Amino acid sequence: MKRFSKMLGAFALCMGLLASPVQAEKFVVGFQPYDTISYQAIINAELGLWKKYTPEGTEIEFHPAVQGTVVASNMLADRAQIGYMSIMPAAVLCVRAKGKVKMVSTTDMSEGTRCSLILVRKDAPDFKDNEALARWLDGKVIAAPKGSASDQYMRRFFEKYKVKPAEYLNQTIEVISTNFRAGKLDAASLWEPTLSGLASEVGEGVGKIVADGSACDNEDLGIVVMRSDFMEKHPKVAEGYLRSDLEAQLFMLNPDNWEQVINMVSQYATGVPKRVLWYSVFGKVPANSPNLVREWMNFYFGEREKANIDEVVAFLHQEGIISVDKLPEGTVDDSLTRKVFKASGHKPVAPGAALGVIEGRSAADCPFKD
């Protein structure tokens, strides 16, 4: 009888262990709600798309950050395994990580309609072309955040059009915003959605958007990065997350979803009017531009994306921000992304834009008035 009781107890213990819930694997996605490259991460978080594709028991938390450098720091410290950022912080991160972080996918790319834009004061004249703008910029006070894509663009613009500003200041986007309101700046380069928040189309009206990256071939590129050890230890989670990211991008490309997208984004980008959030990604900039394409989504790395990465790395090296002029072999690795794309059955809609393009619309088309 005593032996039977021991056997029963052992059986009950085993059953208890089997009935205990499996400890969930928890991962963190870092993103920037105040940068349009992260809008698809918000879509993924709000719709819970990742739950459909990752293994049972997976938990993913989405952690917002004010800028890409914060996301990068968290990834270096393994406090985040997946991150969204523009090419510049992504390149700096991958160099400093020394093989621990890879660029695995793209969020979007444009001819410079997200980070490569020039804002001039509201009383500036209308310019017939970029040459006229350049001559007006001579002798003016201009600002940009040093080491950013906006800075790279501004320097390229100066070089191409032989602009000689009175001052070229290194200022954060917050300081630039304050100085524009105070009338202390003639022009600046900064990124969305802060730019549209200051401009005349849907924002405060303290400035006008007058040029984009096409003025000097300075493109914008958004990147999804992943820690290498995360991809090696949890390949199904990494693959499943990329499948959900693909669905999020396709959701964002559909104009029928644009209002819903902004309603979701506004929960994270607090303090920014919905009309500004909408225009920062779906509006046409500059408003009189003949180019309808605001950005394209290719998902994996094509020739344009790879060329842009090389250009940015060379610029960062020239500025003394990173120690190499070329990324180490294997840093740009979209093999898993291409596998996901192929398995999805989705066919490229155009060369260089596998998923599609967003065509900018006028401020009058914006469904939000607040």
Side-chain angles (χ1 to χ4, degrees), residues 276-325:
V276 171
L277 294 173
W278 184 91
Y279 199 79
S280 70
V281 67
F282 302 128
K284 186 180 178 183
V285 293
N288 62 352
S289 173
N291 181 22
L292 293 178
V293 178
R294 183 70 194 260
E295 60 183 44
W296 61 84
M297 293 183 177
N298 200 42
F299 193 48
Y300 46 80
F301 295 104
E303 293 307 312
R304 287 186 296 188
E305 288 83 2
K306 291 176 182 177
N308 185 249
I309 292 170
D310 289 342
E311 288 176 10
V312 168
V313 170
F315 171 77
L316 291 170
H317 179 254
Q318 177 185 317
E319 292 298 304
I321 297 171
I322 57 177
S323 58
V324 297
D325 60 2

Side-chain angles (χ1 to χ4, degrees), residues 82-241:
I82 303 169
Y84 290 75
M85 59 192 72
S86 63
I87 177 55
M88 283 203 171
V92 173
L93 166 63
C94 288
V95 170
R96 293 178 179 171
K98 298 179 179 179
K100 294 180 181 178
V101 177
K102 291 183 177 183
M103 299 182 190
V104 299
S105 179
T106 69
T107 63
D108 61 328
M109 191 172 183
S110 79
E111 291 188 356
T113 58
R114 182 172 57 80
C115 298
S116 303
L117 294 153
I118 295 178
L119 184 75
V120 297
R121 65 180 194 241
K122 63 182 178 181
D123 62 349
D126 294 328
F127 306 106
K128 65 177 182 179
D129 53 29
N130 291 322
E131 184 63 44
L133 167 62
R135 300 290 62 83
W136 183 84
L137 290 173
D138 282 330
K140 299 298 193 297
V141 178
I142 305 169
K146 187 177 180 181
S148 68
S150 298
D151 175 41
Q152 180 188 28
Y153 167 58
M154 206 75 257
R155 289 169 183 263
R156 280 190 168 185
F157 192 95
F158 291 165
E159 182 179 0
K160 179 176 180 178
Y161 295 98
K162 305 297 187 290
V163 175
K164 297 180 180 179
E167 291 184 88
Y168 182 48
L169 306 173
N170 175 22
Q171 297 181 343
T172 66
I173 58 173
E174 293 81 11
V175 173
I176 289 173
S177 300
T178 299
N179 285 338
F180 249 99
R181 296 184 187 106
K184 295 181 179 180
L185 290 174
D186 296 306
S189 183
L190 63 166
W191 50 84
E192 296 285 21
T194 303
L195 187 88
S196 287
L198 295 170
S200 54
E201 284 75 22
V202 295
E204 298 175 36
V206 296
K208 301 187 293 186
I209 302 171
V210 292
D212 63 17
S214 64
C216 49
D217 300 320
N218 201 82
E219 296 167 319
D220 296 327
L221 176 62
I223 300 285
V224 176
V225 291
M226 288 185 177
R227 283 186 60 92
S228 302
D229 53 2
F230 158 71
M231 297 179 72
E232 292 167 2
K233 295 176 184 177
H234 308 281
K236 292 300 181 183
V237 178
E239 181 177 343
Y241 186 81

Side-chain angles (χ1 to χ4, degrees), residues 320-343:
I321 297 171
I322 57 177
S323 58
V324 297
D325 60 2
K326 189 175 182 180
L327 291 177
E329 190 73 26
T331 301
V332 180
D333 182 1
D334 64 353
S335 55
L336 186 58
T337 300
R338 288 178 179 270
K339 175 185 175 182
V340 166
F341 183 84
K342 184 177 180 180

